[in-house]
Amino acid sequence: MTDTTPRNIIYALRQSTPITGIVGSDFTHVILSFLLPQVNGTVVPSSELQHFIADPNTISQLKEGGKRKVMVAIGGGIVPDGGWKGMAQNLQVAVASIINFLNANKFDGIDIDYEDTDAITSPSTAGYDPAAFLAGLSNLLKAEPGFAGRLISHAPQPPYLYPGAYASYPQGPYQAVMAEGGASIDWLNIQYYNNPWYVGTSTTDQAQKVAGISGGGFPSSIMNLSKTIAPGKLVLGRITSTSNGGSGYLDAEDTASALVTPLTQSLGAKFGGVMGWQFSLSSQTSANANAWGSTMAAAMKR
């Protein structure tokens, strides 16, 4: 599947904004949320995802003009207890369940939003090795004929890429994932928000800690990671409004000028792109993130 960089990616979860509003926007990839891992290894759609796929025409509408890839996120913050462990212990079941869902709903791939920090902190207590599981799941999916032509992204938080943040993975858990499964992973939607120490608050902080274009080589910044991970696999994840996250927000103009434009100038067409969480700016209105996406698109053309 052709997947050119830089990408302009948007997640969708809230129901307050009609999802078809993405049609005609500058977004290149849409990720609908969430498929939920189950203790038996299968995946089932959340109520929000069920709403999105209730109309069989939704996916084809979002692919308007053949321009967009429409993917589905697995995981997030509402995974049932034992869900990730269940998948890890039943990888073949998980692979079959994921492919069946993608085929039934015509999705172009998956995004693995793994947030089981307790398991990363103590794999022995969790009963499975998160890095081995995430790499193994990615490798098995890419090897399956039924998955052919589809995309795999992951959505790690920045501490998951920071050496020394977890004693169980001295190099960083997602460094271990990429070492074993990087060939199967098309890109990382790095969540540069809700992790204050690793992200910062001001534009100056974030130019260093997120972009890595000033103040030395902050370990989990895009520029530092690009030394060991292909820059086309590094996507700058942002929240599109203060309603969509607890910290790390910069408005679209500051995000563009302080982060996106400098990264584009440094990495050129190899830059993986930008991800926004999420399309609906608020649960209170029908306001959407299309203007935010247009600002990101313009910044990536400079």
Side-chain angles (χ1 to χ4, degrees), residues 48-81:
E48 292 86 359
L49 184 58
Q50 288 174 8
H51 176 84
F52 286 142
I53 63 176
D55 182 347
N57 296 315
T58 297
I59 305 301
S60 59
Q61 286 180 305
L62 293 177
K63 293 182 182 182
E64 160 254 352
K67 171 183 168 185
R68 293 178 179 78
K69 309 303 179 188
V70 182
M71 302 166 66
V72 62
I74 300 175
I78 56 171
V79 174
D81 290 344

Side-chain angles (χ1 to χ4, degrees), residues 196-208:
W197 190 85
Y198 297 91
V199 174
T201 55
S202 68
T203 53
T204 301
D205 289 342
Q206 297 200 36
Q208 176 192 7

Side-chain angles (χ1 to χ4, degrees), residues 15 18 28 36 46 55-56 58 62 67 102-103 108 124 142 177 184 193-194 209-210 230 241 248 260 282 297:
Q15 309 301 301
T28 60
L36 302 178
S46 66
D55 182 347
T58 297
L62 293 177
K67 171 183 168 185
L102 298 182
N103 286 339
D108 295 315
S124 59
K142 273 295 174 83
V177 172
S184 299
Y193 46 87
N194 293 351
K209 292 187 170 185
V210 173
S241 75
V260 181
S282 168

Side-chain angles (χ1 to χ4, degrees), residues 240-281:
T240 56
S241 75
T242 54
S243 294
N244 288 332
S247 65
Y249 176 75
L250 297 177
D251 66 27
E253 289 71 23
D254 285 344
T255 297
S257 62
L259 307 178
V260 181
T261 295
L263 284 171
T264 301
Q265 291 171 342
S266 296
L267 299 173
K270 295 180 180 179
F271 176 37
V274 180
M275 168 273 279
W277 175 267
Q278 57 173 307
F279 180 62
S280 179
L281 296 181

